[in-house]
Amino acid sequence: MSRDFFDVARHQRAHRDFAAMPVPDEVIAKLLTHATYAPSAENSQPWEFIVIKDAAARAELSAIAKRAWEGGAREYERGRLSESVFADVDHGMVSGFATAPVWVLVAGDTDRVMESALDESVYPAVQNLLLGATALGLGSALTTIVKVFASELRELCQMPDTLVPLAAIPLGYPARQLGLSRREPATEHTHSNRFGTPWP
């Protein structure tokens, strides 16, 4: 199925519940291949993807995410988010993400680009992966909370110290379909020549 890019972008949502249905390796390969067409500093392409399908490893990764959430992130977000969004995020971090049949751990390689340039060199590839998942009917979510436990992630996936964990993406077929994202109009946050002058 081919979908218009702008349709895919408008439908890209954070999914926090997944159906008990495996994701074929060829689908994952397609996502990762297209993720690598993202730009990176000096074309360094410093991304490393670790596809985690092993049940025990997925459970450990979900437990790390849950621990990060319950270790302070939950209280930080309580009151900052609407009740419905908070409840959805809380459910995802506590139990929903554990239903994902696949996790993709994304790291940046400091041997290929300086550490200060990792974010802008890796996150565009992550966004390609998220958009690709939407285009193929998969659900996904960008989680960076696991960065707090970088050393545990390195140990879990036997990563060398030169790799910096940047994102962990639960991936799978959605347990339920979500509607369009709700966004404020772009014009409310766009300025002409200087801040405060409306555009257009």
Side-chain angles (χ1 to χ4, degrees), residues 35-67:
T36 65
Y37 283 89
S40 59
E42 301 167 348
N43 197 30
S44 54
Q45 305 173 54
W47 41 71
E48 293 289 334
F49 305 105
I50 301 176
V51 178
I52 301 170
K53 296 176 86 173
D54 174 77
R58 284 188 290 113
E60 181 61 28
L61 189 48
S62 299
I64 290 172
K66 181 180 178 182
R67 195 161 9 118

Side-chain angles (χ1 to χ4, degrees), residues 6 12 19-20 25 32 45 54 64 75 81 84 104 109 113 116 122 127 140 159 177 179 182 185-186 188:
F6 295 102
Q12 202 274 311
D25 285 343
L32 297 179
Q45 305 173 54
D54 174 77
I64 290 172
E75 289 312 309
L81 303 174
S84 61
V104 179
D109 188 350
V113 73
S116 62
V122 174
Q127 178 66 355
S140 63
M159 292 188 289
Q177 293 301 318
R182 294 183 296 277
E188 291 188 11

Side-chain angles (χ1 to χ4, degrees), residues 29 32 49 55 69 71 79-80 84 87 94 109 114 116 145 154 178 185:
L32 297 179
F49 305 105
W69 176 248
R80 295 181 71 247
S84 61
V94 172
D109 188 350
M114 64 182 72
S116 62
I145 195 170
R154 284 194 182 99
L178 303 178

Side-chain angles (χ1 to χ4, degrees), residues 4-131:
D4 172 80
F5 169 79
F6 295 102
D7 177 61
V8 170
R10 291 185 71 218
H11 283 84
Q12 202 274 311
R13 295 284 305 273
H15 288 264
R16 299 183 178 92
D17 265 312
F18 300 90
M21 208 172 132
V23 180
D25 285 343
E26 56 269 24
V27 171
I28 298 170
K30 185 172 187 173
L31 289 179
L32 297 179
T33 296
H34 287 82
T36 65
Y37 283 89
S40 59
E42 301 167 348
N43 197 30
S44 54
Q45 305 173 54
W47 41 71
E48 293 289 334
F49 305 105
I50 301 176
V51 178
I52 301 170
K53 296 176 86 173
D54 174 77
R58 284 188 290 113
E60 181 61 28
L61 189 48
S62 299
I64 290 172
K66 181 180 178 182
R67 195 161 9 118
W69 176 248
E70 294 178 340
R74 173 191 273 150
E75 289 312 309
Y76 176 77
E77 296 295 356
R78 192 187 302 275
R80 295 181 71 247
L81 303 174
S82 70
E83 285 186 21
S84 61
V85 172
F86 179 83
D88 190 43
V89 173
D90 187 58
H91 168 73
M93 298 302 291
V94 172
S95 60
F97 287 155
T99 64
V102 181
W103 282 76
V104 179
L105 182 61
V106 187
D109 188 350
T110 57
D111 277 346
R112 284 185 267 166
V113 73
M114 64 182 72
E115 188 162 356
S116 62
L118 279 181
D119 286 359
E120 60 264 36
S121 298
V122 174
Y123 285 122
V126 170
Q127 178 66 355
N128 274 9
L129 196 161
L130 298 172
L131 289 169

